[in-house]
């Protein structure tokens, strides 16, 4: 039985990756930060499963700020593969918390790589490493579409930190012969996306507006162009990278780019609503430095990994709206019954 460690297992990508690895027979070890409240909602359906998959999911307290703690988790789990998905991953928040973002994204990757390297040296066991790189590294893009050879010109503390994390992973690969690969993932969304990310903020609002629970949706730059795919498909590419005989870096994207405004139109049209009646632009949501367009060329992933995006942005928007309409219905039921809403539900965006 293969064993894998996932940092960021409680996030969108981590939960989908955990499901994928468990379906392939892995024993999965997730690293979670200690908190006064539980933040495992995306994986509770696995963890609470009394059958085989639930038994093969094990959680460990750990933090990317604690290198010694990471090494202890690795020693306990004795993994074959390590997937580094943990980060402060909100680009706009990175402008407000640049030091924290840089510490978790950049230095956290260094700490994890060093822990894996130390474990390999001490145990003699080879471990394959995946680094979650980001299209935000391209920033002020030098070419369209962006591919593995496109220069990095990041436009945010998050993007800058991801560049360091990416390059230090390449450095460990070249310096120590580690099987370390980077997936340069373009925007990938799902019903499990955090509600402060723009696509989920939009689809969450659509469901609430349809049921009269929300009146307006406040957004920033509607003209920003993005390449949006389905997160549930993108984790398959992560896994495929670590099954290759040789480590390498891959762009993972759909190759289709649309503006935020178009995603709004797709989402509102799903429930027969006109976005012009509900959307207002709020300067608070603009970034100090904008990334205007991101479009990925995933031809290398198709050629080497046999991976290609299947879910279109139209299907993605519909999937997310349908899920958030159901969530809004549950919220409405709770409100009508006079119950207190669970944390994170029912707050105007």
């Amino acid at each position: 039985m293969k064993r894998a460690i996932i940092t960021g297992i409680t996030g969108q990508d981590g939960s989908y990756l955990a499901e994928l690895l468990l379906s392939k027979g892995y024993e999965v070890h997730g690293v979670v930060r200690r908190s006064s409240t539980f933040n495992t909602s995306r994986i509770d359906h696995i963890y609470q499963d009394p059958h085989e998959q639930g038994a093969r999911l094990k959680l460990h307290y750990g933090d990317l700020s604690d290198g010694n703690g990471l090494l202890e988790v690795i020693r306990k789990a004795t993994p074959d593969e390590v997937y580094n998905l943990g980060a402060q991953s909100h680009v706009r928040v990175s402008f407000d918390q640049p030091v924290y973002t840089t510490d978790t994204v950049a230095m956290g990757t260094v700490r994890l790589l060093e822990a894996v390297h130390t474990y390999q040296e001490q145990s003699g066991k080879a471990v394959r490493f995946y680094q979650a790189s980001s299209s935000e590294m391209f920033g002020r893009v030098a070419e369209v579409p962006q591919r593995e050879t496109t220069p990095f010109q990041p436009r945010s503390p998050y993007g800058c930190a991801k560049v360091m994390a990416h390059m230090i992973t390449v450095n460990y690969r070249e310096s120590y012969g580690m099987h370390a690969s980077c997936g340069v993932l373009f925007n990938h969304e799902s019903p499990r996306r955090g509600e402060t990310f723009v696509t989920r903020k939009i689809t969450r609002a659509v469901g609430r507006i349809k049921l009269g629970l929300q009146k307006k949706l406040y957004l920033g730059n509607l003209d920003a162009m993005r390449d949006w795919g389905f997160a549930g498909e993108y984790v398959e590419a992560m896994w495929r990278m670590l099954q290759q005989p040789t480590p390498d870096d891959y762009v993972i994207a759909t190759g289709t780019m649309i503006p935020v405004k178009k995603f709004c139109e797709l989402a509102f049209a799903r429930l027969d609503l006109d976005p012009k009646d509900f959307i207002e632009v709020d300067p608070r949501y603009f970034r100090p430095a904008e990334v205007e367009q991101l479009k990925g060329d995933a031809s290398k992933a198709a050629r080497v990994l046999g991976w290609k995006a299947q879910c279109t942005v139209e299907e993605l928007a519909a999937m997310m709206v349908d899920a958030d309409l159901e969530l809004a219905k549950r919220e409405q039921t709770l409100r009508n019954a006079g119950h207190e809403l669970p944390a994170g539900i029912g707050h105007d965006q």
Side-chain angles (χ1 to χ4, degrees):
M1 183 187 297
K2 279 190 175 181
R3 289 182 293 276
I5 290 177
I6 304 174
T7 68
I9 194 171
T10 59
Q12 170 190 251
D13 293 7
S15 65
Y16 281 118
L17 180 60
E19 288 177 342
L20 175 70
L21 296 181
L22 288 167
S23 73
K24 294 181 179 297
Y26 281 65
E27 180 177 282
V28 175
H29 295 257
V31 179
V32 297
R33 287 176 294 172
R34 178 69 179 90
S35 173
S36 59
T37 57
F38 290 111
N39 62 345
T40 58
S41 59
R42 293 183 181 94
I43 57 171
D44 282 346
H45 66 287
I46 310 171
Y47 199 63
Q48 295 171 359
D49 182 354
H51 302 296
E52 183 187 359
Q53 285 201 358
R56 286 188 282 112
L57 175 62
K58 304 176 187 300
L59 301 181
H60 306 261
Y61 284 126
D63 198 295
L64 288 170
S65 66
D66 178 11
N68 289 333
L70 293 172
L71 179 56
E72 285 304 306
V73 171
I74 293 170
R75 284 171 174 161
K76 289 177 183 177
T78 62
D80 300 284
E81 300 168 1
V82 172
Y83 296 84
N84 184 28
L85 311 184
Q88 189 300 99
S89 59
H90 199 288
V91 177
R92 181 62 188 84
V93 170
S94 78
F95 285 99
D96 300 322
Q97 295 188 302
V99 176
Y100 173 69
T101 299
T102 303
D103 186 62
T104 58
V105 174
M107 292 307 300
T109 302
V110 177
R111 295 182 188 106
L112 185 57
L113 279 165
E114 186 60 18
V116 171
H117 173 56
T118 299
Y119 171 73
Q120 288 190 144
E121 290 288 295
Q122 293 175 348
S123 68
K125 180 179 181 179
V127 180
R128 298 190 172 194
F129 183 90
Y130 172 82
Q131 168 59 23
S133 293
S134 169
S135 60
E136 287 289 330
M137 300 188 303
F138 295 120
R140 187 189 286 115
V141 298
E143 60 181 350
V144 179
Q146 297 86 52
R147 49 185 62 87
E148 291 80 6
T149 55
T150 304
F152 299 142
Q153 301 184 71
R155 300 269 284 166
S156 66
Y158 172 77
C160 292
K162 278 294 186 182
V163 170
M164 178 181 170
H166 178 94
M167 296 310 301
I168 197 68
T169 302
V170 173
N171 185 261
Y172 268 70
R173 179 171 74 212
E174 295 177 348
S175 300
Y176 305 118
M178 290 178 62
H179 193 296
S181 296
C182 299
V184 185
L185 271 60
F186 281 63
N187 294 64
H188 46 291
E189 320 297 314
S190 76
R192 299 181 191 177
R193 189 61 142 151
E195 292 187 23
T196 59
F197 290 84
V198 67
T199 52
R200 184 75 198 289
K201 183 176 178 179
I202 292 165
T203 61
R204 185 76 174 94
V206 168
R208 300 187 78 239
I209 288 170
K210 184 67 176 180
L211 298 184
L213 300 172
Q214 185 172 328
K215 295 180 179 179
K216 293 288 183 179
L217 170 62
Y218 298 95
L219 296 172
N221 182 9
L222 298 180
D223 297 320
M225 306 279 286
R226 293 293 184 269
D227 182 330
W228 279 301
F230 174 45
E233 291 181 347
Y234 282 38
V235 298
E236 171 82 20
M238 301 177 187
W239 175 78
R240 291 193 183 196
M241 290 179 209
L242 296 200
Q243 311 317 305
Q244 301 305 307
T246 304
D248 207 345
D249 307 322
Y250 300 88
V251 163
I252 303 300
T254 70
T256 299
M257 178 174 65
I258 64 169
V260 173
K261 181 179 180 181
K262 177 62 176 178
F263 190 91
C264 291
E265 292 170 355
L266 293 172
F268 277 86
R270 181 69 176 175
L271 298 184
D272 299 316
L273 298 171
D274 188 340
K276 293 193 293 291
D277 295 335
F278 306 101
I279 293 177
E280 292 189 13
V281 174
D282 189 331
R284 291 179 301 170
Y285 296 115
F286 280 81
R287 302 176 186 177
E290 289 284 346
V291 174
E292 298 299 339
Q293 52 182 331
L294 293 173
K295 178 181 178 181
D297 176 2
S299 57
K300 180 180 175 181
R303 184 177 68 255
V304 180
L305 305 179
W307 182 91
K308 192 178 189 308
Q310 302 298 321
C311 183
T312 67
V313 69
E314 292 81 7
E315 292 168 337
L316 176 65
M319 175 202 310
M320 294 176 66
V321 169
D322 291 350
D324 277 329
L325 179 61
E326 292 305 310
L327 182 59
K329 288 177 179 177
R330 294 198 295 273
E331 177 188 344
Q332 186 179 56
T333 299
L334 289 171
R335 282 179 181 269
N336 291 342
H339 294 304
E340 183 177 343
L341 298 176
I345 291 182
H347 303 292
D348 285 344
Q349 300 293 326

